[in-house]
Amino acid sequence: MKANHLLNQANAWLDQLNSRERKLVTYGGTLAAVLVTWFVLIEPAMLTIQQGPANQAALVDKAGQVMRAAQDLDALRGARSRVVVPESDLQARLQQLLDEQGIAEQASLLRTEEGDIRVEFNNVPASGFLAWLARAEAISSVVLNLAELEKVEAGVLKGYVTLLPSSQGNTGTPP
């Protein structure tokens, strides 16, 4: 009912205008409605549709990377042999594993006051981190004590891992 009243008011206002003004208002209003429809509804939808295949391909690629990392981790865990590394060489061996996985640039390895080994990661690929962790767990001289990780974006992590050397009274078996 209110819409009818507004429509009647608009018609009364248009009736007061001469024919040239009426055409100008009608064409201007129609043009404004078409432009708003184009820029608010149609163009964003078309861009989404056009970018869809590229976005889908990127997501499929990321999913493939995660699947390969999971398969690598399963393979490493299933076939790992426990390696004994002397405590004096432990930090060097963990650093070597970081280098081998290509994540040494985004990681820092340090010894805490308690004697733990803390490895901090900043924007590392999840696949590289998982492969490094699997290989680090294969060292019988250390036990994973704590891991706090956060997803930065799809397939990218940051956080830290704390490893306990077995000389601190650990048996070398995970809890």
Side-chain angles (χ1 to χ4, degrees), residues 1-18 21-23 25-26 29:
M1 182 156 333
K2 208 172 197 181
N4 285 338
H5 178 67
L6 289 175
L7 188 58
N8 288 338
Q9 279 184 330
N11 281 333
W13 179 73
L14 281 174
D15 288 340
Q16 292 176 356
L17 301 175
N18 65 35
E21 291 172 334
R22 197 173 318 146
K23 284 181 184 177
V25 169
T26 303

Side-chain angles (χ1 to χ4, degrees), residues 24-101:
L24 189 60
V25 169
T26 303
Y27 293 147
T30 303
L31 179 63
V34 167
L35 289 174
V36 167
T37 302
W38 175 261
F39 287 111
V40 173
L41 299 175
I42 296 172
E43 186 181 32
M46 287 176 56
L47 287 174
T48 301
I49 291 169
Q50 288 172 349
Q51 294 171 349
N55 291 342
Q56 183 181 9
L59 290 173
V60 167
D61 184 47
K62 292 247 186 220
Q65 289 175 1
V66 170
M67 291 300 293
R68 284 188 297 279
Q71 289 170 349
D72 290 347
L73 181 60
D74 284 343
L76 289 170
R77 281 196 172 148
R80 73 179 180 195
S81 61
R82 301 292 284 175
V83 178
V84 178
V85 176
E87 188 168 340
S88 59
D89 298 337
L90 202 50
Q91 273 186 267
R93 177 66 177 136
L94 291 170
Q95 185 65 46
Q96 178 186 7
L97 293 176
L98 288 168
D99 290 333
E100 289 173 4
Q101 296 308 316

